Structures are given as C-alpha cells and as structure tokens.
Amino acid sequence: MTACAETCDTAVETDKPAWTAVFAVTLGVFALITAEFLPASLLTPMAASLGVTEGMAGQTVTVTAAIALVTSLLISVLTRNTDRRVVLLSFSVLLVASNLLVAFAPTLALVLLGRVLLGIAIGGFWTMSAAVAMRLVPEAMVPRALSIIFSGVSVATVAAAPLGSYFGHLIGWRNVFLIATIIGVLAFFWQLVVLPKMAPTGTARMGTLVEVMKRPVMRAGMISVLLVFTGHFAFFTYLRPFLEVVTGVGVNGLSVILLGFGVANFIGTSLAGFILERSLRMTLLLMPLAMGVIALALVALGRAPIADALLVALWGMAFGAVPVAWTTWITKTVPDEAESGGGLIVAAVQFAITLGAAAGGLVFDHSGASGVFVGSGAVLLVATAMIFVSLRDRSEAGVPVASEA
C-alpha cells in the first residue's frame, strides 16, 4: 500500500505501455515485501541460532520498518536529480546485499545491519513504485499498472509466511534468505534489461508533507492509521510463537495456519473494493473492531487449534481490506494532495510496524505471546473508538462522510 511521494502528474514518456517493465517492478515489490516479513515466520529458529530471545529477534522487523519510515519521507528529495531507473536498480542491489548479509551473519548485530539495508530499499522502492508506474504506461492504463504492482504485495503476503516457515524447517532459516536473494537477483537483472531511462523531475519538497499534515482531519486519520497498523503488526510479528506455545501446533500445522492467513488476506483485499463501494465509513470501523475482538478471542480460547486457525484466517481477511480502505480515505480526504497524503500513509505504516514489533517484543519477553495479543486487541479497540468518534463528530458538523470519511 502506497502512493507516490514524488510528483505523480509527470507526463508519460511513451505512448506504448511498457508492461514488461511494470512486471519487473512488481517482482521487485514482491521480493522486498517477502524479505521484510520473513522473520515473522522464522522468529523461533533465528533466535535460537543467534543465541537471543525471540523478543530480541523480533527487532529485525523493527529496524527495517524504522529505516523504511525515514527513507519513505526523504527519498524523493534526496534523489530528485537522479535517473529513476538508476535509483530503482540501486534499491534492488541493496535488497540482494541485505539478504546475503542476513544469511551469513553470525551475530544479531550483523543481521540488524542487513535489515537496515533492506529498510532503505523498501522505503525507497515502495514509495516510488506508483510514480514510476505513471512513467511506464499511458495515463488511461495507470490503474491497471498499479493493480499489477500491488498484486506483488498480495502474493508476498500469501507466500512469504507459510513458505518461510515450511522451508525454514526443511533447509534452515539461513537458506530461506538465500532463496530470497535469488529472487532479488532475478528482479535486478529483469529491471536492468527492461526499465527505460526516467529523467528526474526535481520538484519534490518536504514542505507539502507538513502542509497536509497540519489539516485537522488528516491528523486524526493518521493517529487512527498508526493505532490500527500497530495493533496488526504486534499480532502478526508474534503469531508464530503464539501458535507454537499457546495453541500447541507443530511445524506442519503452523505452515497450514499461516497459509490460511495469507489466502484469507488475499481474499479480503480482493473483496475490499466491493465493500468500500457500499460504505467506506463502516469498513473503516468494522475491520479494526473485528481484529480486536479476534485477538482477545484467541487468548480466551487457548489451546484450540481448529478454532484458532479459523480466527487467524478471519483476521487475515479483515486486515486485507484495511490498506485499501485507508488509501481510499486519503483520496477522499485530501484529493488535492493525494500523493503527499499517500506518502504520509507509507510513513505511518512503517512507524506502526516499528512500534508494533518493538512494543510487542517488550511485552513478549515479560508476558509471553498471550500478553502481546491482549495488548494488540486493546490497541485495535481504542482505534475503533477513535475512528467512531471522529466520524460521528464530522457527521454532526455536517461534513459529508463521503468526502472526508
């Protein structure tokens, strides 16, 4: 989920759509998102191999998100004089270097260094992907190109966690990162061959982000986004330890449950457009409410593998609609600055990943996975209440929900 953080109204440089380039960018996004969330499915063996707690190993997610947050805000300004083709290729090189460093790192410190490189690549590549798509195809075909690029995230969501868990058991977690390296290498060479030169526009500036953020409706929305995604990523980062320790499933059961989560998430994303056409307001409200209730229900049920598997799948389906809903909210809330608003959403989500993983790690080391899930559910219910109050106040003030959600 993203919107370009640089100028999105740049004229297309060719009348012929460069679909091979679009698919090359999609593979890059898939490789990045896969690498970002592999630790969530490999947390236990990584911690054991590196001689650290699972809470400490969870910080491999934290550091990546923290660096991606900073990069997403600065990358367009810092690279405004550089050919976008060169910039994208550089991110793919960082992706490959990151995975190699993690795969061979003997200590947590070196793993974290590798994840810093990944954070730079994710924050930059993901933030620029929409703007680049607008340079690769004619204006009328931009929605189709963006849907293809976004599918890389959905496929990574479905595949990364279950396959990471399964192959981590068979060949070891380090070899899983070597496989991710191969995908990154393929993405680099494909992009090297098919990406055209894309001259920089040199118009990006930080002031626009500040101006958009000063709008009251935007501030309330960003706090809500932060709470919702923090609750989700605290849950998702420590899902494997919960399933292993509390639910009591083995590796095969874990892989099946994570696959169910991914498939349900893909379904939720696919159905989001249909749901949003009927009510953006109810989608913004009901999805975090459902997720919060599910988190608390998982803790209450305890050792109930079948019920837990169903609840995890329902969580995945509910969350699938969340990024689409908040992206839609941005287009209706700040239509005059949708690109800058989208850039702020990217930063908020990355900060939420940082906060969710970091706070989750502290809670996990103190209260275990059940404590993390209770905290996650509480944060999501607070987010639901805040969204409800915000929407109600706006409605009572006579502001149409359709225009400002």
Side-chain angles (χ1 to χ4, degrees):
M1 176 194 66
T2 187
C4 56
E6 60 176 340
T7 319
C8 280
D9 58 354
T10 306
V12 176
E13 297 179 358
T14 177
D15 292 331
K16 288 187 63 177
W19 291 118
T20 54
V22 172
F23 281 109
V25 172
T26 303
L27 181 59
V29 170
F30 168 78
L32 287 165
I33 300 303
T34 297
E36 182 175 16
F37 292 114
L38 274 181
S41 62
L42 299 169
L43 203 62
T44 303
M46 285 181 69
S49 174
L50 296 169
V52 298
T53 67
E54 287 165 314
M56 286 297 295
Q59 304 315 310
T60 57
V61 178
T62 306
V63 69
T64 303
I67 298 299
L69 184 159
V70 176
T71 304
S72 68
L73 294 175
L74 300 179
I75 193 64
S76 295
V77 176
L78 295 177
T79 64
R80 62 180 178 270
N81 296 320
T82 306
D83 187 331
R84 269 30 198 159
R85 178 177 183 270
V86 173
V87 175
L88 293 180
L89 289 172
S90 299
F91 294 148
S92 293
V93 171
L94 288 176
L95 166 65
V96 171
S98 167
N99 286 331
L100 284 174
L101 184 54
V102 171
F104 292 105
T107 65
L108 179 63
L110 288 177
V111 170
L112 293 176
L113 177 59
R115 302 293 289 181
V116 166
L117 299 180
L118 181 66
I120 297 172
I122 288 174
F125 198 119
W126 189 222
T127 299
M128 287 187 174
S129 59
V132 169
M134 296 178 178
R135 308 281 293 275
L136 296 177
V137 299
E139 182 178 355
M141 296 181 178
V142 166
R144 190 189 312 175
L146 291 176
S147 69
I148 292 172
I149 293 173
F150 293 158
S151 71
V153 180
S154 297
V155 175
T157 301
V158 172
L163 292 181
S165 173
Y166 180 74
F167 284 108
H169 176 66
L170 290 180
I171 62 177
W173 68 270
R174 295 182 185 275
N175 287 321
V176 173
F177 277 95
L178 288 178
I179 293 175
T181 301
I182 294 173
I183 300 174
V185 169
L186 291 175
F188 170 80
F189 281 107
W190 195 3
Q191 293 162 14
L192 182 65
V193 172
V194 302
L195 282 179
K197 291 183 177 180
M198 292 174 281
T201 59
T203 57
R205 63 187 183 89
M206 292 297 295
T208 303
L209 295 175
V210 177
E211 292 167 5
V212 172
M213 198 61 199
K214 287 181 178 179
R215 303 182 187 185
V217 62
M218 194 67 186
R219 290 198 296 270
M222 295 304 290
I223 294 173
S224 299
V225 168
L226 180 62
L227 291 173
V228 172
F229 280 87
T230 296
H232 169 72
F233 285 109
F235 172 95
F236 184 72
T237 303
Y238 296 94
L239 178 57
R240 174 172 179 163
F242 179 89
L243 293 173
E244 289 179 329
V245 176
V246 179
T247 305
V249 300
V251 172
N252 291 335
L254 176 67
S255 298
V256 171
I257 293 175
L258 292 178
L259 177 61
F261 174 92
V263 172
N265 181 260
F266 180 81
I267 294 172
T269 302
S270 301
L271 294 176
F274 176 80
I275 298 171
L276 288 167
E277 286 178 359
R278 278 142 186 80
S279 178
L280 171 60
R281 176 176 181 169
M282 294 306 296
T283 305
L284 291 173
L285 276 172
L286 293 182
M287 296 306 106
L289 175 61
M291 292 159 64
V293 171
I294 289 170
L296 298 178
L298 282 165
V299 176
L301 284 175
R303 194 181 183 92
I306 295 178
D308 286 359
L310 177 60
L311 288 172
V312 169
L314 290 175
W315 178 292
M317 183 176 294
F319 180 71
V322 170
V324 184
W326 283 105
T327 302
T328 303
W329 177 83
I330 279 291
T331 65
K332 295 182 179 297
T333 303
V334 285
D336 55 322
E337 293 290 351
E339 296 82 13
S340 296
L344 288 169
I345 285 285
V346 173
V349 170
Q350 293 301 327
F351 183 58
I353 297 173
T354 306
L355 188 59
L362 294 174
V363 174
F364 182 91
D365 288 342
H366 184 267
S367 305
S370 294
V372 175
F373 277 28
V374 170
S376 171
V379 169
L380 285 160
L381 294 179
V382 170
T384 302
M386 181 171 182
I387 295 168
F388 175 79
V389 171
S390 177
L391 294 178
R392 184 192 62 185
D393 290 347
R394 212 159 297 141
S395 177
E396 291 177 353
V399 179
V401 173
S403 66
E404 290 190 322

